Amino acid sequence: MDAGSLRFSFSSSTEKAQSRYRQPLARVGSTVYIPSLRNTSSNPSSYWQSGDRFIPDRSAMDFDAAHYLLTHVRKEKENNEVVSPAKEAYRKLLAETLLNNRTRILSFNRKPPVPTDSMLAAISEAATSNQCKSTKSKRYIPQSAERTLDAPDLVDDFYLNLLDWGSRNVLSIALGNTVYLWNASQGSTSELVTVDDDLGPVTSVCWAPDGQHLAIGLNNSEVQLWDSSSARLLRTLKEIHRSRVGTLAWNNNILTTGGMDGKIVNNDVRIRNHEVNSYRGHQQEVCGLKWSASGKHLASGGNDNLLHIWDFSIATSSSFSSAANQNQWLHRFEGHNAAVKALAWCPFQSNLLASGGGGTDRCIKFWNTLTGACLNSVDTGSQVCALLWNKNERELLSSHGFTQNQLTLWKYPSMVKVAELCGHTSRVLYMTQSPDGCTVATAAGDETLRFWNVFGNPELDKPAAKTKSAEPFANYSRIR
């Protein structure tokens, strides 16, 4: 099991006094790569003194005569000699095949003749294909974060989920009792809500598919639904769990909640009696929830080292009358030796699920959710906190805790390490992906929020120089 180090910032008056002077989401600083424009040659004038050894001296050439011969049609001299029929036939065949019945090869302001022979066309196509392969670009992966923001009062707890990036390009993060929003498109920051001490701290955040409504799980077992555009509380779901709600997941209009009581509940937020069904299979806190892209299967991981796959079509009725029906999981996996929080459904193979274990397990496992088979298991050497699939390549990104606190990019299915990214000084507990799939945001116990261009578009050898106008996350400010 993983012992979560739940550390509330408000428990220490000294820390709270210090955090007042730390501006949340303030730019910590970043370095910008600017390539040098200075010529590295020690003696540039030497090129003019020594001449060019590849071009001969042209002083003896008659350019006027050459220009006349190229631009004027020469009258063929009459040849009174007898030409053999074989030589004449060869000349005609050569003209038709190679010259396309043209008497002059070099001509200005004309397109080159189209080859008529199939072999010549095949050679040209092969040459073009080889050129395209040789010029294929290589993706550049920066080894450091693009930018770093200050995130004071971030709760250092392995079992919580305090970071999420919505479909409208707005990122939400919970810092203590407060939920902040970052609009990545506009570069603006706002404070959505600060809950009272008897309700908080905030234990989970999750955007609805529309990117406008945000679900917030609280330490007192309640779940709040907010409209981010108007900063208005829509409703509060009560008496779902007996303790804190550490994980949330949306499936269209169904909000699935996982609590410390080991209970998983599906809530239809459109109706008054929102509890439509529940799943009971975990004996300890549920810390990971992920719906598949089709919405048919739900993966849940808990502190009891168990991983369950639930089928939405065989979920129990809203009456909860039959306790036996609540345990009808599709698969029950017991392969991990620590808490299972990191879950990620594969975007290019619908029945493939990746899961990661805690500090005493340290493994990433791949499951076939149709057959229930474990396809592969990789020992990462450190605690696995979160997993993300690359939407553009067959790659998997994992964030880790003890002892290296790094991000690792893996090539699937070989699971060869593509890159390791370091920067956080504490375990990288929370990780989320931008809507376009290029940028990854991570939050760690060192109270920093970092942005990585690990899934960015392919580039050549070096990154292009950046300007201030190209930084979408610059100049954040706190709004009261």
Side-chain angles (χ1 to χ4, degrees), residues 375-414:
L375 304 177
N376 192 10
S377 180
V378 179
D379 189 350
T380 65
S382 57
Q383 181 186 45
V384 183
C385 300
L387 294 171
L388 286 176
W389 286 97
N390 189 345
K391 298 179 181 179
N392 305 315
E393 301 284 344
R394 297 203 169 196
E395 296 173 342
L396 181 69
L397 180 68
S398 58
S399 69
H400 299 272
F402 305 125
T403 57
Q404 302 179 35
N405 308 318
Q406 85 281 15
L407 302 178
T408 304
L409 183 63
W410 309 84
K411 190 70 177 178
Y412 183 83
S414 64

Side-chain angles (χ1 to χ4, degrees), residues 339-367:
V340 183
K341 175 191 176 184
L343 299 171
W345 290 92
C346 180
F348 52 84
Q349 189 173 341
S350 60
N351 61 330
L352 177 61
L353 175 70
S355 62
T360 57
D361 181 76
R362 306 175 302 180
C363 290
I364 298 177
K365 297 181 182 295
F366 298 92
W367 310 90

Side-chain angles (χ1 to χ4, degrees), residues 214-231:
L214 181 68
I216 299 175
L218 300 176
N219 191 58
N220 73 332
S221 77
E222 294 182 359
V223 177
Q224 295 181 353
L225 299 179
W226 285 80
D227 187 341
S228 61
S229 60
S230 60

Side-chain angles (χ1 to χ4, degrees), residues 158-234:
F158 177 82
Y159 304 101
L160 305 186
N161 295 269
L162 305 179
L163 186 68
D164 195 24
W165 207 328
S167 59
R168 295 192 179 185
N169 207 16
V170 178
L171 184 142
S172 62
I173 184 172
L175 302 179
N177 290 12
T178 305
V179 176
Y180 293 93
L181 303 179
W182 291 267
N183 190 315
S185 302
Q186 302 176 1
S188 59
T189 305
S190 61
E191 179 182 317
L192 180 64
V193 60
T194 299
V195 299
D196 297 332
D197 290 341
D198 56 344
L199 302 178
V202 178
T203 53
S204 57
V205 293
C206 186
W207 285 102
D210 60 4
Q212 179 177 347
H213 298 92
L214 181 68
I216 299 175
L218 300 176
N219 191 58
N220 73 332
S221 77
E222 294 182 359
V223 177
Q224 295 181 353
L225 299 179
W226 285 80
D227 187 341
S228 61
S229 60
S230 60
R232 182 169 59 95
L233 177 63
L234 301 179

